[in-house]
Amino acid sequence: MAVSGGGDSLALLHLAVEAGCTVAVATVDHGLRPEAADEAAAVGAACAALSVPHDILHWRWDGQGNLQDAARRGRIAALAAWAQGRGLRAVALGHTQDDIAETFLMRLARDAGVDGLAAMAARREVDGIAFLRPLLGVGRAELRGWLLQRGVSWADDPSNDDPRFDRVRARRALAAMADAGVDGAAIAALAGKMAEVRAALEATTAEAAARLVRIDGGDVILDTQGLAALPAEIRRRLLLAAVMWIASAEYGPRGAEMERFVAAALEGRVATLAGCRTSHARGRMRITREVRAVAGLSCPVGALWDRRWRVSGPDSNGLTLRALGEAGLAACPDWRAAPYPRTTLLASPAVWDAGVLVAAPLAGFGAGWVAQCQPPRGPLAAAPLSH
């Protein structure tokens, strides 16, 4: 489990130990406050008193993007790597009912839709590790009262009182709303209902994917007439799922960008979004990876390329995976016999030995080499695969 030293995660630790669970603990030191190292050491001392193994993980901000969002992403990535190294399959987090309510208000202020307003998931998977939130039905005050009864102290991060941060402002707004009879439990319940709405929409989108979508060599092919007949929200979700899978994106594009992309799809126009490109022919729309988005990507053969593709073959020692590109396509004499269009092949994975093309599996070049794309999840998992 992840324990920061705050009241919520310390309560999670003590509850787990009292319940007889065998646990290991990690604390992420973000390097943002001088007190963080002492707080991590205090968690270590608390774990030692409970005979629980403890590790301190380090993350440093590169100064890019939103600090709190970057810290959250960095923290999750560090915890996933730690769990993998320890042979653990799950990491428990100390999020509470109050976190659900605060997140709801933050997203409401950003004009979020159903997905944004839905309650945070009790379980999600990152890099093969399940992240669990077992305390979502419990309020922060209740947990801290429980700790006080046992004489357990905790550390309070001073950034929790800094009004520059959205979560702090949401926390203060939540306290003010309680005077009007709208407390964290009521908002968390509403977020739970939004999660039910989201699940229903996802099920309907999966049904549409099964009817209208085909997965083809890492591309998504859609029936444009059927797409146009869908309710607007299901249509948007289907296209968003396609873009997110092809681009391997954790979060998809929203707002005006997504609206323009949907409009272009309905009108049969070529459009690009998040490193994806559309084309239209014979009543079908194909969404493929845009070659510019992968032009600079490379990795050793055997590793995951573009977060989707693995290529295997006779001898991979010292060879590199890169996009096929124009130069590679010119070296494939039979590429026109491949079952994929030129735009798909240009952005497809190819095996290179320095500047020499060794294999381009999707273009039919290089005997014995095979390219496999990670299958889609979510609603697109219902779509059939081309053969």
Side-chain angles (χ1 to χ4, degrees), residues 336-351:
R336 289 179 178 81
Y340 308 109
R342 187 174 185 276
T343 52
T344 296
L345 295 177
L346 289 173
S348 69
V351 182

Side-chain angles (χ1 to χ4, degrees), residues 8 15 94-99 134-143:
D8 301 342
L15 284 165
H95 293 114
T96 68
Q97 190 177 77
D98 295 75
D99 290 296
L135 300 180
L136 291 181
V138 186
R140 186 174 296 133
E142 183 179 356
L143 288 173

Side-chain angles (χ1 to χ4, degrees), residues 1-4 9 12 22-28 57 75-95 121-135:
M1 55 184 52
V3 179
S4 65
S9 58
L12 177 65
T22 301
V23 300
V25 168
T27 302
V28 180
L57 314 179
R75 180 167 59 250
I76 291 296
L79 289 167
W82 168 78
Q84 290 169 345
R86 273 193 167 268
L88 304 170
R89 291 180 296 176
V91 176
L93 307 173
H95 293 114
R123 175 192 173 100
R124 65 179 290 228
E125 190 170 305
V126 178
D127 296 334
I129 302 298
F131 282 82
L132 312 176
R133 297 183 174 106
L135 300 180

Side-chain angles (χ1 to χ4, degrees), residues 209 212-223 238-239 241-248 261 275-280 284-291 294 305-306 308-309 338-349 362-363 371-377 380-387:
L212 305 175
V213 174
R214 182 160 50 91
I215 305 299
D216 184 47
D219 293 353
V220 175
I221 301 176
L222 301 101
D223 179 295
L238 196 56
L239 291 173
V243 168
M244 289 179 65
W245 176 58
I246 294 171
S248 299
F261 187 77
C276 301
R277 177 184 176 85
T278 65
S279 59
H280 300 263
R284 299 285 186 270
M285 180 176 75
R286 178 183 287 265
I287 308 178
T288 190
R289 197 70 161 118
E290 192 177 11
V291 67
V294 294
W305 182 77
D306 195 23
R308 290 202 304 159
W309 290 96
Y340 308 109
R342 187 174 185 276
T343 52
T344 296
L345 295 177
L346 289 173
S348 69
L362 268 65
Q372 291 184 316
C373 190
Q374 301 282 89
R377 296 182 179 181
L380 284 189
L385 302 177
S386 294
H387 298 288

Side-chain angles (χ1 to χ4, degrees), residues 7 33 40-41 82 129 165 172 191 196 203 206 225 233 241 288 302 322 327 330-331 340 342:
R33 297 182 295 110
W82 168 78
I129 302 298
F165 296 119
R172 292 180 177 180
E196 294 175 2
Q225 186 175 358
E233 176 62 13
T288 190
R322 298 201 311 269
Y340 308 109
R342 187 174 185 276

Side-chain angles (χ1 to χ4, degrees), residues 67 166 261 339 357 365:
L67 170 58
D166 291 344
F261 187 77
L357 181 67
F365 180 80

